[in-house]
Amino acid sequence: MISEELISWANKSIELQQDNHQISGKQLSSLSIVIPTFCRKEYIVRQIAYWASSGASVFIMDGSPQPIDGSIKLLISKFSNINYFHMKISYVDRIRKACEYIDTDYAICLADDDLYLKEGLCDAIDFLNNKESPIACISMPLGVDYHIQNKQTVFFPYGDSLENYEVTDSSAINRIEYAMSGYRTATSYGLFRATEFKVIWSELQSSSCLEATEYEHAISTYIFGKLENCKSLYWLRSHECEPVDSEIDGSRRTTFDLWCNDPNFDEEYSLFIERLNKRILKNIKIDGNTAQKVVNKSVLLLNGRHEGLMN
């Protein structure tokens, strides 16, 4: 049950931000933000309070066992740019559903406990507006946590592996190989042109391994185009919450290495390989044997050393 105190805080926070709406509202009106969430109702309230006066179109895609309380629904009803959907379906299916409603030029996914700095997003949008080739951009995030005992928000360096990182080779095969070698989470929270965002998510399928979904999304991104670094701080990576397991989406404990090699996941793994092969053949002019080699090498690299967000 959400407390009256939290709803009161949200309303006051929104009032304080309305005066600053003109700063970013025009640019952010070209952006759709998709927030898949699971069992974190308090963080939904925080996202509503933060984005209500932003001008961005926000889609909160809730896969929790139960929908949000009436008090949160009432809060959402005050803002036409905040959209809430409760669907007990997979993470991927919820994002795909959100894509049906996106009619802006740009789109981005946002974790329910993370935050995006509005001015940073405006800079990232300007970056893509002034570029022709990249389909997405990213920059180095900043870590954030909240210390309950002393009631203090703490910011710290986090994500230095993304500093200056980009994948810009003109060859899709080279982009995939480069990105999978020393893989780092660059596409998951990148700002995308909406056309490519929707195409990529429309072809993804869920599995019992969230890592596999992330890698499939990354490979698909590099099939379709380049990722450049906009060098604008917009991503605040939260360390407030532990991952929440789901009957539909599985557990973070199911690592990619385990998923690839455990016979219990053979069917999912085979479909994963099949999808990647088909996607490469459909979008890159190579033969079937070469496509299979690209996929096999990618899986081999992904089962090796990762850079992670921190070097």
Side-chain angles (χ1 to χ4, degrees):
M1 188 74 178
I2 295 297
S3 69
E4 292 183 7
E5 183 181 4
L6 183 59
I7 297 298
S8 176
W9 166 84
N11 280 309
K12 290 178 181 177
S13 178
I14 292 166
E15 288 178 12
L16 290 171
Q17 291 184 70
Q18 283 176 338
D19 292 338
N20 296 322
H21 170 65
Q22 291 182 343
I23 296 174
S24 58
K26 185 175 181 180
Q27 281 173 294
L28 292 184
S29 65
S30 66
L31 175 66
S32 291
I33 302 169
V34 180
I35 308 176
T37 184
F38 186 79
C39 294
R40 289 180 178 164
K41 294 179 181 179
E42 293 84 359
Y43 288 88
I44 291 177
V45 175
R46 184 166 78 177
Q47 295 290 358
I48 295 166
Y50 187 74
W51 295 110
S53 301
S54 67
S57 297
V58 178
F59 300 92
I60 301 169
M61 311 305 291
D62 188 2
S64 306
Q66 299 297 325
I68 54 176
D69 302 338
S71 59
I72 308 178
K73 290 180 180 178
L74 181 61
L75 180 65
I76 290 173
S77 70
K78 299 176 183 179
F79 307 101
S80 59
N81 66 314
I82 308 291
N83 306 276
Y84 173 81
F85 299 87
H86 179 249
M87 301 174 173
K88 291 191 282 188
I89 55 179
S90 74
Y91 170 89
V92 172
D93 289 337
R94 279 179 276 139
I95 296 175
R96 183 184 299 113
K97 184 65 178 178
C99 288
E100 297 178 12
Y101 301 96
I102 292 174
D103 60 0
T104 53
D105 293 334
Y106 301 102
I108 193 169
C109 282
L110 171 60
D112 54 10
D113 56 338
D114 286 357
L115 287 170
Y116 288 149
L117 299 175
K118 295 166 189 171
E119 290 302 308
L121 279 180
C122 289
D123 289 342
I125 289 170
D126 281 343
F127 179 84
L128 288 182
N129 273 337
N130 294 318
K131 292 271 189 172
E132 290 186 5
S133 62
I135 64 168
C137 66
I138 189 64
S139 66
M140 186 174 73
L142 183 68
V144 61
D145 204 350
Y146 182 73
H147 291 176
I148 295 177
Q149 290 183 338
N150 57 13
K151 297 182 179 180
Q152 184 179 21
T153 301
V154 179
F155 298 94
F156 49 92
Y158 187 80
D160 64 345
S161 73
L162 292 182
E163 184 178 14
N164 301 319
Y165 180 78
E166 49 189 16
V167 183
T168 58
D169 198 284
S170 59
S171 161
I173 301 300
N174 290 344
R175 288 195 299 268
I176 294 169
E177 182 174 343
Y178 173 78
M180 297 307 109
S181 177
Y183 176 84
R184 57 202 78 186
T185 304
T187 65
S188 300
Y189 301 105
L191 174 69
F192 279 76
R193 300 187 195 279
T195 299
E196 284 78 12
F197 182 94
K198 291 189 280 188
V199 169
I200 290 166
W201 281 105
S202 71
E203 296 184 342
L204 266 60
Q205 297 293 329
S206 59
S207 72
S208 303
C209 177
L210 291 170
E211 263 190 88
T213 301
E214 177 182 330
Y215 300 151
E216 185 175 353
H217 178 269
I219 292 171
S220 296
T221 297
Y222 300 126
I223 287 172
F224 284 103
K226 302 174 182 179
L227 173 85
E228 292 194 13
N229 198 304
C230 63
K231 304 185 187 302
S232 301
L233 174 62
Y234 67 78
W235 179 16
L236 297 183
R237 179 72 174 91
S238 171
H239 289 249
E240 298 165 276
C241 300
E242 293 295 326
V244 181
D245 292 347
S246 161
E247 289 183 7
I248 297 174
D249 288 310
S251 167
R252 284 287 182 186
R253 291 186 294 274
T254 304
T255 64
F256 187 67
D257 179 62
L258 171 64
W259 184 75
C260 290
N261 295 290
D262 189 327
N264 292 320
F265 303 116
D266 278 352
E267 183 177 356
E268 288 185 353
Y269 177 72
S270 296
L271 290 171
F272 170 80
I273 297 297
E274 182 181 331
R275 286 195 302 275
L276 289 176
N277 271 313
K278 286 182 177 179
R279 203 165 301 141
I280 288 172
L281 284 171
K282 179 181 177 181
N283 296 284
I284 306 173
K285 294 180 180 180
I286 56 175
D287 59 67
N289 288 333
T290 305
Q292 185 65 63
K293 288 179 181 178
V294 172
V295 173
N296 290 345
K297 186 170 185 179
S298 295
V299 171
L300 183 65
L301 289 168
L302 288 168
N303 273 312
R305 178 181 177 272
H306 289 192
E307 293 295 329
L309 284 174
M310 288 297 291
N311 279 324

